[in-house]
Amino acid sequence: MGILLRQPRTGYDVVKDLQSFRPANASQIYPILAKLEQHGYATFEIQAQTARPDKKLFKLTESGKAALARWLDTDPEPPVTRDDFLSMLFSAWSKGPDAIARLLWHRKRFLNRYEQDLRAKYQALVTNFPADCDDPHNARFSSTLLYRRRIGLVAEELRWCEESITTLEKVSDI
Amino acid sequence: MGILLRQPRTGYDVVKDLQSFRPANASQIYPILAKLEQHGYATFEIQAQTARPDKKLFKLTESGKAALARWLDTDPEPPVTRDDFLSMLFSAWSKGPDAIARLLWHRKRFLNRYEQDLRAKYQALVTNFPADCDDPHNARFSSTLLYRRRIGLVAEELRWCEESITTLEKVSDI
DNA sequence: TCCCGCATGTAACGGGTTACATGATTGC
DNA sequence: GCAATCATGTAACCCGTTACATGCGGGA
């Protein structure tokens, strides 16, 4: 399952870490961690805290690391996306060019915000840990690759949005 | 739900049409069509066929069209993707640069095939119906926008794959 | 001969989301 | 005073997938 125990983390932390590229919510993660523990793939230490529920700090066992390594050798499934925007665009012609333009503008705003966010995080990563990011044996190397990918894709979709808006303008007011 | 009744279609056709941008399978579509019919959003005519089960040709009612128009006025949810490849890449550092390269090559091959397929379909569309594709009141206009988007994104990810492979080579054999 | 395409569905299962339950601390 | 952050979980539900059931015609 969503195995991302680079470092020991609590369930709560795992949810946050996954957020960026494989969203899942708490009520899903906790049962999974419990199951991993039952199968011997992970163990946890309890850290008592005052004024908060006790933390369960999970970490992978050797057997868990082996299972992850095996999974890495399998071929990944083709990606699946669901995106209401695309479905709407598919039917938007029925309401005319204005509706299409509205959708595109909406998407553009969304992408702009998203891009800024990504760039900020990426910048923070490479300025704080420049050495790690260049070392392919380091976890942060993987992270930089993933950031660069997302940034490139978002920039491309943004380009597409603008292109589409201009063609729409050209076509509809001639 | 997946409302894409541009023209009257059978359940079987709907599944195929959706394939490209919002995959769903037959056992999901049939109950949905039945529900649409119960709610008065769609009706069907039965076309008897010899040697095959009778066709149920569904089409949207006025009330169905109105519902679709209302949906088009709502703001789309942010997109969700799940992609094993990304999860694997995230952990691939643990197995070293070769594992990362292997993943990237695998993805590259996948994207190459996908890109060819998309370009072929896009070409077919614009050569067969050049006028429709330029008319924003026509359904095929929406389709061309969607194709251009997908093609751009796939090309960008391909570029990223190649870039990543070369940085990996540079970094690991110096 | 066997698989693919056409054409419809039902039943069981599994993964994911939403809602609920608890509770102290910190900042607006 | 209210929301957000930290921290754990359970229960119900929905959406989607897999497997099953049926059956003929055409191409490899």
Side-chain angles (χ1 to χ4, degrees):
Chain A
M1 260 306 145
I3 317 184
L4 109 141
L5 307 177
R6 301 175 167 209
Q7 324 126 22
R9 301 298 264 169
T10 66
Y12 187 86
D13 292 329
V14 171
V15 173
K16 283 204 302 180
D17 289 351
L18 282 172
Q19 206 61 18
S20 58
F21 75 107
R22 219 296 196 175
N25 62 33
S27 49
Q28 212 185 335
I29 296 302
Y30 289 115
I32 289 173
L33 287 172
K35 206 175 281 182
L36 286 178
E37 198 259 318
Q38 278 168 26
H39 291 343
Y41 293 148
T43 48
F44 62 87
E45 280 170 40
I46 292 175
Q47 293 189 332
Q49 292 189 127
T50 54
R52 272 183 218 292
D54 294 349
K55 273 187 185 182
K56 281 188 177 181
L57 201 67
F58 285 87
K59 63 178 162 191
L60 275 192
T61 60
E62 286 310 311
S63 136
K65 285 177 194 172
L68 190 140
R70 276 198 303 281
W71 178 64
L72 289 175
D73 285 330
T74 64
D75 286 341
E77 300 285 303
V80 197
T81 29
R82 35 211 66 215
D83 190 343
D84 279 357
F85 164 73
L86 300 180
S87 307
M88 287 183 174
L89 193 54
F90 184 76
S91 300
W93 60 275
S94 64
K95 299 200 76 178
D98 289 354
I100 302 179
R102 212 196 103 257
L103 273 174
L104 289 170
W105 278 107
H106 189 278
R107 182 67 151 203
K108 198 184 154 190
R109 232 174 308 136
F110 166 76
L111 291 171
N112 268 322
R113 268 193 300 255
Y114 189 29
E115 193 188 19
Q116 279 202 319
D117 182 50
L118 282 172
R119 282 192 197 279
K121 284 183 184 156
Y122 176 69
Q123 277 307 319
L125 187 64
V126 293
T127 53
N128 291 327
F129 310 96
D132 290 357
C133 293
D134 284 336
D135 174 11
H137 295 279
N138 190 293
R140 289 195 243 270
F141 182 81
S142 287
S143 295
T144 51
L145 286 187
L146 288 170
Y147 272 119
R148 282 211 280 264
R149 176 176 171 280
R150 281 271 82 214
I151 290 170
L153 289 175
V154 169
E156 165 58 26
E157 189 169 0
L158 220 35
R159 200 200 52 66
W160 167 81
C161 270
E162 281 152 17
E163 182 197 83
S164 299
I165 290 170
T166 55
T167 58
L168 202 60
E169 280 167 359
K170 239 182 285 175
V171 172
S172 51
D173 64 35
I174 286 175
Chain B
M1 255 308 143
I3 316 182
L4 109 143
L5 307 178
R6 301 174 166 209
Q7 325 127 23
R9 302 298 263 169
T10 66
Y12 187 85
D13 292 329
V14 171
V15 173
K16 282 204 303 180
D17 289 352
L18 282 172
Q19 206 61 21
S20 58
F21 75 106
R22 219 299 195 177
N25 63 32
S27 49
Q28 212 184 336
I29 296 302
Y30 289 116
I32 289 173
L33 287 172
K35 206 174 281 183
L36 286 178
E37 199 259 319
Q38 277 170 27
H39 291 343
Y41 293 149
T43 49
F44 63 86
E45 282 170 39
I46 291 175
Q47 293 189 332
Q49 293 189 126
T50 54
R52 272 183 219 291
D54 295 349
K55 273 188 185 182
K56 283 189 178 181
L57 201 67
F58 285 88
K59 63 178 161 190
L60 276 191
T61 60
E62 286 310 311
S63 136
K65 285 177 193 170
L68 189 140
R70 277 197 304 282
W71 178 64
L72 289 175
D73 285 330
T74 63
D75 285 341
E77 299 286 303
V80 196
T81 29
R82 34 211 67 217
D83 190 343
D84 280 357
F85 164 73
L86 300 180
S87 306
M88 287 183 174
L89 194 53
F90 184 76
S91 300
W93 59 275
S94 65
K95 298 200 77 179
D98 289 354
I100 303 179
R102 214 196 101 255
L103 273 173
L104 289 170
W105 279 106
H106 190 278
R107 182 68 151 205
K108 199 184 154 192
R109 234 174 307 137
F110 166 76
L111 291 171
N112 268 322
R113 269 193 300 254
Y114 189 29
E115 193 188 20
Q116 280 202 318
D117 182 50
L118 283 172
R119 284 193 195 278
K121 284 183 183 155
Y122 176 69
Q123 279 306 320
L125 188 64
V126 293
T127 53
N128 292 327
F129 311 95
D132 290 357
C133 293
D134 284 336
D135 174 11
H137 295 279
N138 190 291
R140 289 196 243 268
F141 181 81
S142 287
S143 294
T144 51
L145 286 187
L146 288 170
Y147 272 120
R148 282 212 280 263
R149 177 177 170 281
R150 279 273 82 215
I151 290 170
L153 289 176
V154 170
E156 165 57 27
E157 189 169 0
L158 221 35
R159 200 200 53 65
W160 168 80
C161 269
E162 281 152 17
E163 181 197 84
S164 299
I165 290 170
T166 54
T167 58
L168 202 61
E169 281 168 359
K170 238 183 286 176
V171 171
S172 50
D173 63 36
I174 287 175

